[in-house]
Amino acid sequence: MAQSNSAEPRVLSRRSLPRLQARHIFWLKVMIHAISLGFFAQLIWLAFSGGLGADPVQGLHHFTGKAALNTLLLTLMISPLARVLKQGQLMKVRRLVGLYSFFWAVLHVVSYIVLDLNLDWGLLASELVSRPYLSLGAISWLILMLLAFTSLSAIQQKMGKHWQKLHNWVYLAVLLAPIHYYWSVKSGLLEPALYIACSLGLLALRYRTFLRGLSVLTPRRRTTQRQDH
């Protein structure tokens, strides 16, 4: 009886995290759609009910910008979470979360161009040049746009190894987006500072990727030096 009791916890620990199946991923995607569209419905309700604050336009920018940033950070959380939990199937929802990040980023940029600039493209160009935080936001937005447009499986197959190189630019977007947020606010800097810390933490989890990149560059430099001699 003592042997059976000691072996029982081991069996339970192995079964505590069952492998996710295709049906689980399907319902997880349904939940992601429901939550994301629920926040979008909340935004519409706040816009029509006066719940965006004394400055509704600024409230709209704040809501959409934070939604884009939150989903972007969540996208980078999926990979380490799948690794820790040993649930590789979780990677199948990363593209969906990333697309919602771009969705919110589009709303963020469109609201700024339409409501603040009145579709004045010349003014937009001058604003990007004169305000560095807008330039950082524009770079992040362009990266998300490229990642969204190349997220289809057919495009991924056509791009081959270049697809992964392109999608590694998401790390730059994750770094620039919270800095854009930090520079854009005049008060209440604690929250954007926490976003910067979170993004740096997520990038630190991928330090091996950067080390591999350095190891690839080192042989090339040695080869170049030998050729020079």
Side-chain angles (χ1 to χ4, degrees):
M1 292 296 293
Q3 293 180 354
S4 62
N5 291 335
S6 61
E8 185 176 358
R10 297 180 182 178
V11 175
L12 292 176
S13 62
R14 292 178 182 176
R15 294 181 180 179
S16 58
L17 290 176
R19 297 290 182 181
L20 293 175
Q21 303 299 324
R23 66 180 184 275
H24 300 137
I25 299 302
F26 170 79
W27 287 112
L28 184 57
K29 288 182 177 180
V30 170
M31 184 174 66
I32 293 172
H33 282 298
I35 294 175
S36 300
L37 295 178
F39 279 114
F40 182 61
Q42 180 188 13
L43 175 61
I44 296 176
W45 169 257
L46 292 175
F48 284 97
S49 63
L52 291 175
D55 188 350
V57 174
Q58 188 63 30
L60 178 62
H61 297 338
H62 190 71
F63 190 103
T64 55
K66 284 186 61 177
L69 184 54
N70 287 333
T71 47
L72 179 59
L73 294 177
L74 181 59
T75 303
L76 261 71
M77 291 180 185
I78 293 176
S79 179
L81 184 63
R83 190 182 308 114
V84 170
L85 299 179
K86 297 182 180 180
Q87 298 286 352
Q89 292 289 330
L90 280 176
M91 298 298 292
K92 293 184 177 181
V93 305
R94 186 172 60 176
R95 179 174 65 178
L96 178 61
V97 179
L99 289 175
Y100 269 114
S101 178
F102 180 61
F103 166 76
W104 288 111
V106 168
L107 292 180
H108 184 63
V109 170
V110 169
S111 65
Y112 173 72
I113 294 175
V114 174
L115 300 178
D116 279 355
L117 305 182
N118 295 319
L119 297 177
D120 189 336
W121 301 105
L123 180 57
L124 174 62
S126 64
E127 288 284 279
L128 291 176
V129 173
S130 61
R131 300 188 180 186
Y133 79 91
L134 291 179
S135 301
L136 296 184
I139 294 172
S140 301
W141 190 87
L142 289 174
I143 292 174
L144 293 181
M145 181 188 69
L146 291 174
L147 300 187
F149 287 167
T150 59
S151 62
L152 297 176
S153 300
I155 297 179
Q156 179 178 350
Q157 293 176 358
K158 289 182 179 180
M159 294 184 65
K161 62 180 181 180
H162 301 291
W163 182 88
Q164 186 60 57
K165 292 181 179 179
L166 173 62
H167 279 247
N168 283 340
W169 283 88
V170 70
Y171 301 141
L172 179 59
V174 158
L175 181 60
L176 295 183
I179 297 177
H180 160 76
Y181 179 25
Y182 185 89
W183 279 1
S184 65
V185 297
K186 298 180 180 179
S187 61
L189 299 178
L190 177 60
E191 186 177 37
L194 291 176
Y195 274 105
I196 294 177
C198 183
S199 65
L200 291 176
L202 289 173
L203 293 176
L205 293 176
R206 290 160 171 80
Y207 72 95
R208 293 182 180 178
T209 302
F210 302 113
L211 292 179
R212 284 197 298 267
L214 292 176
S215 64
V216 171
L217 292 176
T218 302
R220 291 181 180 178
R221 292 177 179 175
R222 291 178 179 176
T223 303
T224 303
Q225 293 176 356
R226 291 176 181 177
Q227 291 177 353
D228 292 339
H229 289 296

